Every structure is written in C-alpha cells, then in structure tokens.
Amino acid sequence: MAAADDWVARTAGLVRAEGERRHPGEAPTCASGISPSGPVHLGNLRELMVPHLVADEVRRGGAPCRHIMSWDDYDRLRRVPAGFPAEFAEYIGRPLTAVPDPYHQHPNWAEHFKAPLRDSLARLGVQVTEISQTQMYTSGAYTAQIVLAMRRRAEIGAILDRYRTKRAAKPEGTKPEGNEPDDDGPQAAGYYPFRPYCAVCGRDDTTVTAFDDETTEISYTCACGVAIGPTPIAQVAGKLAWKVDWPMRWAYERVTFEPAGVDHSSPGSSFTVGAELVPIFGGELPLHFAYSFVGTKGSAKMSGSAGGAPTPADALEIFEAPLVRWLYARRRPEQAITLAFDAEVGRVYDEWDALTRRVASGEADATSAATFARASGTSDGPLPVTPRPLPFRTLASVADITAGDQAQILRIVRDLTEPEPVAALAEVQPRLDCAQAWVAGYVAPADRTQIRAEPDLARLAALTESERGALKLLTEGMTTDWSLHGLTTLLYGIPKLQLGLPITAPPTPEIKELQRAWFILLYQLLIDEVTGPRLPTLLLALGPDRVRSLLTPP
Ligand SMILES: [Zn+2]
Ligand SMILES: [Zn+2]
C-alpha cells in the first residue's frame, strides 16, 4: 500500500542518487547479462525486467537512464543443449559466435538464440543498449583492462583463492559463464586471469605459460598440441575468467545497478568476489540485490514439438505484452514468480481486466495503479492494447467451439458485442490470437468442445414433459433477442417461466436446482458432456439453425 512497498520507485530513487554521487551529470547505468548459449527462458527474462523497470522508472521521473544488455556471446560453448545435433560437440570450447547456427539462418549460434529474445523484448517495450562481448573483446576495447589484470594477477589470484572453497555453482542462462575451470585451478603464483582461444584450433583448452609484464607478450599451449608465443596479448584472442570479467565490466561500463539471481549473492559468489576485484579496475560495486526464481506451470505444449522450458516468445503467444510485464512487475524481487500456462490463464486475464477497470475508475490503490502504469506502457508511451477486451475465457470458448474458423468467430464476436458490434476481428486482437494459441497449444484435445454432429435421438425420445416444454421455450424464444444478454436472460429464465414466475424473478434455491438440471440437459444434447463453455456463448457459436436441429425432438 504505502510507497515503502514500491520496490521499483525505491530502487529508481537509489539509482539516481548513487549515479549522481559516482558520476555527476552522467546518466546512471542499469545492467543485464544474458548468455545466448541456448534458448533464453522465461526465468532469464527477470534478469532483463528488473533493471528495465528500474531504468524506465528513472526515465518516467524525467531523468536519463541507460539500460545495457550484455550478451555473453564470447563465452565458450560448454555443452550442446538437449535437442540439438550431437555433432556440435565438435565446437565445445569455442566462442558462441564461432559456432555455426544449427538452422543456417543466422550468422552463428549466439545470433540464433539472440533473435527470438530481441523480438520478444521489442514486443514488451524493453529498450536496451546491446553490448556484444565478442565485439568488445575482439575489437581490443578491453586490452588495457586485460593487461592490467595480467600485471596484477598475483593479487587477483590471492583474492580468488580466498573464496575458492566457498565457490557457488552458476546457473545457465544469465551472467558471465565459461572459463570457470580457471577459478578452480591452482592459483596465486601460476595464476593467469586471461584464457586464450587457441590460434590454431579455436578452442579454449589452453594454458598460459608466461606473461611478460613489460612487453605484454603472452605464451600459451593448447590441448591440440601447439605452443604459441611470445605474442603481444593485444593480438591474442581470449577473455578474462568470468569472475574477473564481470567486475572489469562494472568498472568499464560504470554500472550503477545490476541485480542477479539469488544464487549469485551467497557468500563466496561472484558479487562477493567482484566487490574485492572491482577497485583494481577503478570502479565500484554496483547497487545490487537478488531476484528469486521464475517457475512455470502447465507449460508443456500439446503438440510437443518445441519442448524445453518456455521462452518469453511462448508467454507472448498467450499473454498480451502488458500482462507479461505485469506478471513480473507486481512481485517484489525476493518473491518467486510462477507463470501458469494452464487453465489459470483465464483467471490471470480476469485479474488484469479487473485491475484495468479499477484504475480507470480511480479505485485502485497507489501501488497497484503504479504497477499497472509500468505494465501497460513505458516512458516511451503505452503498449498496444486490445481495443475491445472481451474476457479471455469467452474468446477461448469461441476459439474452442469454432475450431478457429475466422468467419464463424467474427459472427459470434459480433453477437457478443451487441448493441455495438465489432466491425472487424482486429478490434479483439491481439487477445483473440492469444486465446486461439492457448486453446491450440495448452488445452488437451479431450478438454476441447466437440459439438454433436447429429442430434442425440435416444435422449430426445426419452425427454420428460417438462424437458420438452423447456426446449420448446428456448427454440421458439431464442431469436427474439439473439444476443449474449438476451440468451442469458432466456436460458436462466426458462425454469422460472415453467414455475409460473416472471422471467425476472430473483433466484431461489429451488430455481437454482432446476437451472442446473436444465443446463446439464442442454450440454448433453449439444456437446455430449455435463458441463462446458458458457451456454449463451455456446448457442451464439452454433447459430439458431444448428441449435434447433440438435434440440428439436423428432
Ligand atoms: Zn538460426
Ligand atoms: Zn588448439
């Protein structure tokens, strides 16, 4: 409720103040690091959303703020992810940008995995300044820092040694990776924080044998059998061990704020070590905190084609972009997030729609309203919305009942939006596409609605007098007001009419009981189930002729 609970506003305030203290007159920098070593998952999106929300909050406040996304694309390929050809094992040990694209569509392995994330970020309104570590390292941008690290290797090695036994495992996907064996090997005396990529085989199975502090010439051997050097280090491909690389970049990019997954903040983790190393490079430890995990639920696709943990693109297929932003923005960083792909999706949309209405009517509390603003737009402006946001569950029903037939969908959506019917399906996009993708991807075929092809003659022949009367009231009265409202009133009203009550009579326990039995009869006759999509929607989907053919006794 109170502003104190608003972690985005609070962190943005700290970033502004800290940026001003460290580098007066300069825009502060928020940083994210992503490894394009394989598909970038929804969990990794938190690495981007946390700094994005903070940087964007600073900008909303009228001050500039930089958000950099460092691609750790100069890391070695450590393993071939599941589902990719085993032949790629040949490239293990080479930089991700030196491995071919398994699908031959992008310049290399790293670019193949960057492309879908870039696309998702654009859709989410997350604007970042991309930094390719391949580009930085191979252009010589870091040569001075590498020489410095090599000259101070004894000091760096001693610091790493102190934390060596407390070293924490590093998760896939975010933050620098690769060169980890360096951190574990014998350090201090024989330690070199730089690992070359072999000039002959391209792999990093190399061992530095000498470095001349005066001439900056390096010598190394490689598992492939060659011995190289002495060669000026500026001409040698390679990178700093990641626990050294990370603080070097904090200093180089003047990072003000950079969060990391909870596993990075334990004692002996990269933050603890980095805090001791960053002064060597003339920088300061960024403001930082840990964010918790992002889990998913019901995310296995029915088609089973893709497999693996869901990506931001998978989430954007079924959630409108502002909703995805909201799912990340509404939780404090220390809270875990679970993104549901199952039947809960409808509930999430309902919550979002309710929040939208509360904000519009001025009833939302300050924190919810601020979260809504951050979700529905950025400092650049609002994100696209569905002009006529029909409930997701209704659209999912329509998609389900029509099996995706666009002409049928348009007809139903028109009936649903009486008395101001939509002119075109574009008015219910992108939500309709999300609903269709959800039904196709995440609703089991057994749970989809199957309309009866033929009337249930046996059931129709066995109707009681009262059932027969109710069906007659429906088939004769339904076209008088063939709309969502008209059909809802009629369907709920028929048991009342049969009791001799007016159609507007308030429900009693007896009426409710009769309504339940009546609805079960309709589900049986229409879809051979005892439950299903909302009946008014179902009738609208079927159209009067089909309803009549299924509900009229022979
Ligand atoms: Zn590709
Ligand atoms: Zn080699």
Side-chain angles (χ1 to χ4, degrees):
M1 295 284 160
D5 278 336
D6 189 338
W7 69 271
V8 176
R10 191 178 62 237
T11 312
L14 289 172
V15 165
R16 278 186 81 159
E18 194 60 17
E20 193 54 30
R21 182 186 69 75
R22 294 183 184 195
H23 304 288
E26 202 177 279
T29 294
C30 298
S32 303
I34 295 286
S35 168
S37 57
V40 180
H41 299 141
L42 270 173
N44 307 138
L45 186 58
R46 206 166 194 183
E47 170 72 17
L48 285 149
M49 285 306 297
V50 169
H52 163 71
L53 290 165
V54 170
D56 203 57
E57 186 75 6
V58 174
R59 290 187 213 118
R60 280 171 202 267
C65 192
R66 199 165 75 112
H67 180 189
I68 58 172
M69 171 171 66
S70 200
W71 288 113
D72 290 311
D73 56 8
Y74 204 48
D75 285 3
R76 70 198 299 262
L77 180 70
R78 297 165 74 200
R79 69 179 70 85
V80 182
F84 290 89
E87 302 93 88
F88 278 83
E90 174 199 340
Y91 298 103
I92 288 174
R94 296 188 195 189
L96 297 170
T97 40
V99 179
D101 173 7
Y103 296 101
H104 316 289
Q105 291 157 341
H106 299 99
N108 56 60
W109 181 276
E111 292 303 320
H112 175 78
F113 294 107
K114 287 182 191 181
L117 181 65
R118 239 180 226 139
D119 176 62
S120 294
L121 291 181
R123 291 176 61 191
L124 287 165
V126 175
Q127 291 214 6
V128 290
T129 301
E130 293 184 42
I131 297 174
S132 157
Q133 290 308 317
T134 298
Q135 206 273 327
M136 296 303 282
Y137 269 103
T138 58
S139 68
Y142 297 146
T143 299
Q145 283 75 11
I146 292 168
V147 169
L148 175 68
M150 288 296 262
R151 285 181 176 150
R152 295 178 71 171
R153 60 188 174 276
E155 190 184 338
I156 291 171
I159 291 169
L160 290 175
D161 246 2
R162 244 188 294 132
Y163 289 98
R164 188 147 60 103
T165 52
K166 289 182 266 176
R167 179 172 165 271
K170 184 196 159 289
E172 284 284 302
T174 59
K175 303 305 181 194
E177 67 177 355
N179 288 0
E180 280 169 319
D182 264 356
D183 297 336
D184 264 342
Q187 291 170 357
Y191 175 71
Y192 297 97
F194 178 85
R195 176 174 285 209
Y197 280 114
C198 173
V200 175
C201 74
R203 299 192 183 89
D204 72 344
D205 300 326
T206 53
T207 307
V208 176
T209 51
F211 179 75
D212 186 320
D213 287 350
E214 291 303 309
T215 65
T216 76
E217 285 177 330
I218 188 172
S219 304
Y220 66 90
T221 58
C222 178
C224 74
V226 299
I228 308 276
T231 312
I233 200 167
Q235 291 162 25
V236 171
K239 70 184 289 286
L240 292 170
W242 77 269
K243 277 190 180 171
V244 183
D245 177 78
W246 201 15
M248 180 277 286
R249 292 194 252 151
W250 291 337
Y252 189 93
E253 300 292 349
R254 300 186 169 196
V255 176
T256 320
F257 169 61
E258 180 164 6
V262 280
D263 27 16
H264 279 280
S265 303
S266 54
S269 73
S270 3
F271 268 123
T272 327
V273 182
E276 296 214 32
L277 294 178
V278 68
I280 293 176
F281 299 101
E284 276 184 74
L285 180 67
L287 294 171
H288 65 279
F289 53 66
Y291 55 80
S292 190
F293 298 106
V294 178
T296 56
K297 172 165 154 312
S299 64
K301 273 200 172 180
M302 293 305 152
S303 64
S305 55
T311 63
D314 291 324
L316 285 165
E317 205 181 24
I318 62 167
F319 290 109
E320 295 168 0
L323 248 146
V324 174
R325 294 174 60 89
W326 181 61
L327 292 170
Y328 285 81
R330 66 178 176 161
R331 297 276 178 258
R332 289 195 309 278
E334 67 273 21
Q335 292 178 299
I337 297 176
T338 301
L339 295 182
F341 284 70
D342 56 13
E344 229 182 276
V345 171
R347 193 180 56 69
V348 171
Y349 268 95
D350 289 348
E351 278 180 47
W352 169 253
D353 288 346
L355 174 62
T356 307
R357 286 189 296 270
R358 282 205 307 282
V359 169
S361 67
E363 291 161 63
D365 65 81
T367 303
S368 304
T371 306
F372 177 82
R374 288 168 196 141
S376 53
T378 69
S379 54
D380 291 330
L383 287 170
V385 293
T386 300
R388 299 282 295 267
L390 296 188
F392 181 84
R393 288 185 232 238
T394 302
L395 290 176
S397 278
V398 173
D400 172 29
I401 297 163
T402 57
D405 183 300
Q406 297 293 295
Q408 268 199 67
I409 292 175
L410 179 58
R411 182 173 59 72
I412 300 164
V413 168
R414 278 204 176 119
D415 289 338
L416 283 168
T417 48
E418 286 288 356
E420 291 174 71
V422 301
L425 286 182
E427 292 176 42
V428 290
Q429 295 291 17
R431 190 171 288 197
L432 174 62
D433 278 345
C434 292
Q436 287 191 265
W438 181 71
V439 171
Y442 302 96
V443 178
D447 294 338
R448 289 182 210 158
T449 306
Q450 305 285 336
I451 312 288
R452 277 185 186 279
E454 299 292 335
D456 183 351
L457 295 174
R459 184 71 182 87
L460 286 169
L463 292 173
T464 65
E465 212 38 53
S466 162
E467 287 172 339
R468 197 175 278 266
L471 289 172
K472 193 157 182 283
L473 284 171
L474 176 62
T475 50
E476 287 180 356
M478 67 191 179
T479 44
T480 309
D481 184 359
W482 184 259
S483 69
L484 191 62
H485 177 74
L487 289 171
T488 305
T489 308
L490 182 62
L491 282 162
Y492 284 85
I494 283 173
K496 302 177 197 170
L497 295 174
Q498 289 192 296
L499 289 173
L501 298 168
I503 201 163
T504 51
T508 63
E510 184 197 8
I511 290 174
K512 284 185 181 169
E513 193 50 51
L514 290 169
Q515 284 168 338
R516 252 192 300 279
W518 158 234
F519 294 160
I520 289 174
L521 172 67
L522 290 173
Y523 283 125
Q524 285 175 333
L525 292 173
L526 296 171
I527 59 173
D528 195 20
E529 298 280 352
V530 293
T531 179
R534 293 195 61 228
L535 281 165
T537 316
L538 183 58
L539 296 191
L540 286 173
L542 291 169
D545 293 343
R546 191 119 180 253
V547 171
R548 240 177 244 119
S549 82
L550 291 172
L551 298 186
T552 308

